[in-house]
Amino acid sequence: MTMRSHPTLRAQQGFTLIELMVGVVLGMLAIVAIAQVLVLSEGNKRSITSGADAQISGALGLFSLQREVGMSGYGVSAIPAALGCTVNYQAGTNPAGTFTLAPVLIGAGDDGSDTITILRSTKNSFSVPMLVTAAHASASTEFTVQSPFGAAVGDLMLAVPPDVSTSNCNIFQVSGNPLNQKIPHVTVATSPWNVAAASANAFPINSYLFNLGSMSMQRFSVNKDTRALERSELASTSGAWSAAEEVQPQVVMLKAMYGKDTNADGSVDTYNTTTPTNNAEWTQVRSIRVLIVARSGQPEKTAEPTPALLEWDVGTKNDTVTGATTCHTDRQCISIDLSPLGADFRKYRYKLYDTVIPLRNVLWKA
């Protein structure tokens, strides 16, 4: 009897082992391809997001700093001969201190960053110099001025001698209502800034008083531990520096230079970090150039994307910029060393933001 194959039975025999192995291999290849696409997509997303975070941090950090520097010098720049004066101050039982009378002062910070200290009056109405019309003895408890208009009880006043190269300036506090061309400053019991050793000493005729209101002295710096732009302030109530508060995260470096008019033609021609040491040098400062370096929040998992040195483009060769070298044919650049940020600094992405901020109140002498 002859055996015949039935079509239904043949269809129920299933796949062969070879067919199954081919199917498994094809499935594995598909999974690998999909995983690779997901990994690359996640890496690209991380890079884009991190770059955007650094861009936002840098832009907002520079905006905050630019806003404050733009107001610097208000109330203290109207008399150019006063710039560079050493200011004595003391509030209550806090230690006495000094600072330089300048709208902006650049100092040294951590890990190659700079600090920027900004001084201005906080008087809301107006702040104009008051001419001293009678000699003020060291034991005196009031100033005689041409007009006390604008002064009020509690205002901090800055006494400036005619020649700041031979005498220091002093901060005192108005302790009573200014009447009949008199501005009183009695004792520390009535006003904490009137400590005898550091308030108003002897000042001759033709000295000036600057009305500081409650005074604003702020210092911007970069915290080397949190990698953030921070701000601290000299408190008008105590004369002590406040604890630093965070302004913007992911800012890792702050650099600044003075813009100086060294040939008295009304235009800035030199940028450097040399701090002026006398009145003549301070009157040359017309602007500052600021650089903020922001970086991504997370390091890259792949190859290191950042070069060992970053280039800060400081413009054409028309200006003299200390430390700059030729780059990009006709441009000048300053190398920014990020190695102090740690051994893995090259794994991050960075954004550089710089601008030139004119010292408006110096230019306007307002």
Side-chain angles (χ1 to χ4, degrees), residues 12-339:
Q12 293 177 350
Q13 290 179 356
F15 296 102
T16 65
L17 179 60
I18 295 177
E19 291 173 331
L20 288 173
M21 292 179 64
V22 170
V24 170
V25 170
L26 291 176
M28 293 178 63
L29 291 176
I31 292 174
V32 169
I34 294 172
Q36 185 69 16
V37 170
L38 290 176
V39 169
L40 292 176
S41 174
E42 182 63 26
N44 292 335
K45 179 182 178 181
R46 172 190 291 265
S47 298
I48 294 172
T49 303
S50 298
D53 290 344
Q55 186 172 2
I56 293 173
S57 295
L60 292 179
L62 187 62
F63 171 77
S64 300
L65 186 59
Q66 186 174 10
R67 180 184 59 187
E68 295 298 330
V69 173
M71 296 187 290
S72 67
Y74 169 63
V76 299
S77 301
I79 308 295
L83 296 177
C85 183
T86 299
V87 180
N88 300 325
Y89 71 92
Q90 184 176 9
T93 58
N94 288 299
T98 63
F99 61 84
T100 300
L101 180 59
V104 177
L105 181 65
I106 301 171
D110 297 324
D111 290 347
S113 287
D114 294 328
T115 64
I116 299 178
T117 303
I118 302 165
L119 173 66
R120 65 177 175 87
S121 169
T122 62
K123 196 67 178 176
N124 292 329
S125 52
F126 56 87
S127 178
V128 295
M130 303 175 188
L131 180 65
V132 176
T133 57
H136 178 278
S138 58
S140 177
T141 59
E142 62 183 13
F143 273 91
T144 302
V145 296
Q146 190 175 46
S147 172
F149 189 65
V153 177
D155 283 348
L156 294 181
M157 308 292 289
L158 178 63
V160 181
D163 186 358
V164 299
S165 64
T166 58
S167 302
N168 290 352
C169 300
N170 295 88
I171 290 181
F172 69 93
Q173 192 167 29
V174 181
S175 59
N177 290 320
L179 297 172
N180 301 322
Q181 286 74 49
K182 305 292 185 179
I183 296 183
H185 59 92
V186 187
T187 63
V188 69
T190 56
S191 301
W193 286 81
N194 293 338
V195 179
S199 63
N201 294 319
F203 286 88
I205 296 176
N206 294 328
S207 297
Y208 281 93
L209 301 184
F210 292 160
N211 193 340
L212 301 179
S214 59
M215 189 174 65
S216 173
M217 178 176 281
Q218 303 178 66
R219 180 172 296 155
F220 286 84
S221 61
V222 172
N223 188 309
K224 68 177 182 179
D225 297 320
T226 62
R227 302 302 179 192
L229 181 66
E230 293 186 336
R231 181 186 69 90
S232 57
E233 187 170 7
L234 187 69
S236 61
T237 55
S238 65
W241 284 96
S242 65
E245 61 179 12
E246 184 174 298
V247 176
Q248 193 62 41
Q250 297 174 217
V251 174
V252 297
M253 188 164 291
L254 171 65
K255 304 291 287 185
M257 294 186 292
Y258 295 106
K260 301 176 180 178
D261 175 16
T262 59
N263 57 10
D265 66 348
S267 300
V268 171
D269 52 71
T270 300
Y271 288 96
N272 59 43
T273 58
T274 303
T275 301
T277 58
N278 53 52
N279 173 259
E281 293 178 357
W282 275 112
T283 55
Q284 294 178 350
V285 178
R286 302 301 181 90
S287 66
I288 65 167
R289 187 163 201 149
V290 178
L291 171 73
I292 280 183
V293 181
R295 79 176 182 185
S296 56
Q298 298 293 330
E300 296 290 330
K301 293 183 177 180
T302 55
E304 299 177 345
T306 301
L309 296 175
L310 299 182
E311 289 186 340
W312 177 13
D313 189 328
V314 292
T316 63
K317 299 179 181 179
N318 295 331
D319 296 326
T320 301
V321 182
T322 302
T325 57
T326 302
C327 63
H328 312 304
T329 307
D330 62 343
R331 309 289 292 181
Q332 299 183 87
C333 292
I334 294 178
S335 296
I336 303 299
D337 183 12
L338 300 178
S339 59

